[in-house]
Amino acid sequence: MLPTRELIDSLSVHAALDTETLASVVDALSDCEEVVTACAAGMLGERDLDRMRSSVLHDLDCGDVVVATRRMLTRATGDDSALIAAQLEVCLMACLRSHDSCIRTAAAHEHCRLCAAATERAAEACRRALQALRG
């Protein structure tokens, strides 16, 4: 797989974010999508599924929002910074919601611990990107 920064550097469009910030957030979101999807699947196999039902939904929502955000950022168009900022805000909210759900069961379920860590990294990457956009 091509490193994200190399891929972004190859584009002729000008991104609203600098290459380093953009590559960092895209990588964090990619990792997050993989982990929240696996965590949701892991929770579906747990005995206490009824208690974890909302966490499964939060993970699935997060995964969908993260994918949409990553795809928008990967297109790297500079003329959509208001839309990108709005999408990053939604992504931050979805990551925090998933994180808050999984952190409660992280001690009992390894997939939730991994998910809480990945969503925390993705949320922080969204915060950094938002700061960079807002200057």
Side-chain angles (χ1 to χ4, degrees):
M1 177 184 269
L2 199 60
T4 305
R5 179 151 186 187
E6 184 180 350
L7 177 63
I8 291 168
D9 284 342
S10 75
L11 302 175
S12 60
V13 295
H14 299 287
L17 295 167
D18 65 273
T19 303
E20 188 61 37
T21 302
L22 185 57
S24 173
V25 72
V26 166
D27 284 341
L29 295 179
S30 182
D31 290 345
C32 182
E33 188 272 330
E34 181 179 15
V35 175
V36 296
T37 301
C39 183
M43 284 187 279
L44 290 173
E46 298 293 343
R47 288 184 212 163
D48 52 350
L49 176 59
D50 284 341
R51 188 172 60 88
M52 301 178 90
R53 192 172 315 277
S54 67
S55 294
V56 171
L57 294 172
H58 291 165
D59 277 359
L60 294 175
D61 289 346
C62 183
D64 289 343
V65 171
V66 162
V67 166
T69 306
R70 182 181 47 79
R71 289 179 58 133
M72 289 175 70
L73 290 170
T74 302
R75 288 194 288 270
T77 57
D79 58 347
D80 285 338
S81 38
L83 182 61
I84 294 295
Q87 186 65 33
L88 284 165
E89 289 280 356
V90 170
C91 192
L92 175 60
M93 183 187 316
C95 288
L96 291 174
R97 206 170 110 191
S98 178
H99 175 270
D100 290 348
S101 289
C102 283
I103 199 73
R104 288 192 297 267
T105 55
H109 303 287
E110 180 67 5
H111 53 79
C112 288
R113 185 190 67 74
L114 294 169
C115 186
T119 52
E120 186 173 27
R121 287 190 302 272
E124 183 53 37
C126 288
R127 282 188 196 99
R128 284 192 311 272
L130 283 164
Q131 286 175 336
L133 277 175
R134 294 175 178 150

